[in-house]
Amino acid sequence: MRLGFKLRAKSSETRARRGTFVTAHGRVETPVFMPVGTQATVKTMTPEELTELGAEIILSNTYHLYLRPGADLISAAGGLHAFMHWERPILTDSGGFQVFSLGGLRRLTSDGVIFRSHIDGSEHNFTPAIAVKVQELLGSDIAMVLDECVPYPASYKEAAEAVERTTRWAKQAREAHSREDQAQFGIVQGSTFPDLRLRSLEQIVDLDFSGYAIGGLSVGEPKDKMYEILELLEPQLPTNKPRYLMGVGSPDCLWEGVQRGVDMFDCVLPTRIARNGTVFTRDGKLVVRSATYARDYAPLDPDCDCYVCRNYTRAYIRHLIKANEVLGIRLTTYHNLYFLIQLMEEIRTAIVTDNFLAAKAKFFARYRLNDDEERKIDLSPSC
């Protein structure tokens, strides 16, 4: 399936792009943030709530669904969309990142990777063709190829071997893929080595995928390194296909990634910090579980018009979280996802009106970066 990606507008001062693509389950406006629904659910959210807060596409995880409840069971239920009652597009990752995160529970072979389930210890052999088959059974709109994601830091030899293996597996995945209503994306690897990144990009683009993901970033490297790699790759990426930066979703990285030509993002960050009682606001992160907010009757973010901020106070949400009431993390999750989805709408508008850098500067004039986010925000037109 070809996604029919169309550029609608481009920033005259940066590499930011505004576009659309169409899947079997609907249209997606880019740049877009995809909430992560690892196990066929975005944690604590119903599909109706995701639709209400504006999610256009979500991500689910091949590794987890393969192990439990199983791709055959989901296929028998009518596919992942029917199984989880989500009518809009779904992207499934290949499971490669999860498998390679297993450390001693996995070993590489010439054909793929053999791993032991983190659930019951059972042994499984994952090959590029099996990753394709599982995702075809799931029936996602966009399927990712199996790749090797090396940690940071990695040696040049380790990164080069991963590039070679990723390309070989991508070719096998391309040959194995047969579902006509499912797009398939290739993945560029190479760690932080510029020549390896360019080599990987050339090899993956030659296979003519429907879109291209940039993997192996946001794995511990400094953010400046990540931005350097994006700037290196952007001029060489096809302009007529979506670009997907895997595993990135903090507000600062969304602005910086879009500035460097990225169209798609995903990350567990908004749902994970929500479960720890932390929320995004226009002034930066707010730890609502803190005693500071015990008698604070303001909304999470006075400038937010989401359902949560219209109806609940910081004091009430803090009470729920301290009392271990599930509603507390449902409310923080809803707000965080709404915040990022509305941020992407703000970014898309800035591209269309061609004032991207001014809009970015206005956002960061208020948004305070935490220690894990701090870096110099680049407001120059060179990126």
Side-chain angles (χ1 to χ4, degrees), residues 64-357:
H64 288 283
L65 296 178
Y66 162 79
L67 290 177
R68 183 175 55 192
D72 289 334
L73 184 151
I74 292 174
S75 179
L80 189 54
H81 292 85
F83 186 61
M84 66 180 294
H85 183 50
W86 173 253
E87 298 177 351
R88 294 183 175 184
I90 298 174
L91 181 148
T92 45
D93 61 16
S94 67
F97 180 80
Q98 286 71 31
V99 168
F100 287 102
S101 297
L102 292 172
L105 294 176
R106 54 86 176 166
R107 68 182 186 277
L108 285 171
T109 69
S110 58
D111 299 320
V113 58
I114 296 173
F115 66 92
R116 291 194 175 277
S117 165
H118 71 286
I119 299 171
D120 59 12
S122 57
E123 188 170 271
H124 302 266
N125 183 16
F126 228 48
T127 67
I130 288 175
V132 168
K133 180 183 178 182
V134 171
Q135 291 179 86
E136 289 189 343
L137 287 171
L138 295 176
S140 56
D141 298 277
I142 301 173
M144 306 303 299
V145 301
L146 185 65
D147 65 319
E148 182 181 359
C149 177
V150 295
Y152 179 86
S155 70
Y156 187 90
K157 181 176 183 291
E158 290 169 331
E161 290 174 349
V163 166
E164 187 278 329
R165 188 174 288 113
T166 293
T167 299
R168 177 156 40 89
W169 287 356
K171 292 177 180 176
Q172 295 172 20
R174 195 81 175 89
E175 293 169 359
H177 189 253
S178 62
R179 185 158 181 160
E180 294 183 357
D181 62 347
Q182 183 184 67
Q184 189 181 49
F185 280 23
I187 303 176
V188 177
Q189 288 290 346
S191 187
T192 55
F193 301 100
D195 62 320
L196 294 182
R197 281 287 176 179
L198 291 174
R199 181 193 307 175
S200 180
L201 174 62
E202 181 180 7
Q203 293 171 350
I204 296 300
V205 168
D206 280 347
L207 296 174
D208 191 28
F209 287 98
S210 296
Y212 298 97
I214 302 161
L217 293 176
S218 192
V219 292
E221 79 284 355
K223 288 184 179 180
D224 286 341
K225 283 285 186 184
M226 176 171 72
Y227 301 147
E228 288 173 9
I229 295 299
L230 293 179
E231 290 171 11
L232 173 75
L233 296 179
E234 193 279 335
Q236 309 303 321
L237 284 162
T239 59
N240 63 339
K241 294 181 180 180
R243 297 110 170 243
Y244 166 28
L245 179 56
M246 305 179 77
V248 170
S250 63
D252 58 320
C253 288
L254 294 178
W255 280 103
E256 300 289 353
V258 171
Q259 182 167 333
R260 291 159 174 82
V262 176
D263 304 305
M264 302 168 65
F265 304 83
D266 83 278
C267 194
V268 299
L269 179 67
T271 51
R272 178 171 291 168
I273 67 171
R275 296 194 299 278
N276 292 321
T278 300
V279 294
F280 297 118
T281 76
R282 299 296 291 194
D283 295 311
K285 288 180 184 175
L286 183 149
V287 185
V288 72
R289 61 180 163 77
S290 169
T292 304
Y293 304 106
R295 292 181 176 272
D296 190 332
Y297 303 112
L300 292 175
D301 184 348
D303 293 325
C304 178
D305 65 352
C306 78
Y307 168 80
V308 177
C309 290
R310 293 197 315 268
N311 292 285
Y312 300 98
T313 66
R314 296 171 178 177
Y316 178 63
I317 294 171
R318 178 186 182 272
H319 156 69
L320 294 176
I321 290 172
K322 297 299 286 186
N324 292 318
E325 289 289 345
V326 173
L327 179 59
I329 60 174
R330 276 177 40 76
L331 296 178
T332 53
T333 300
Y334 187 110
H335 168 79
N336 278 351
L337 291 175
Y338 183 91
F339 183 93
L340 291 189
I341 287 169
Q342 290 303 305
L343 177 61
M344 298 312 290
E345 176 62 30
E346 181 178 328
I347 290 173
R348 290 194 294 268
T349 299
I351 296 171
V352 170
T353 56
D354 202 17
N355 69 333
F356 181 87
L357 288 180

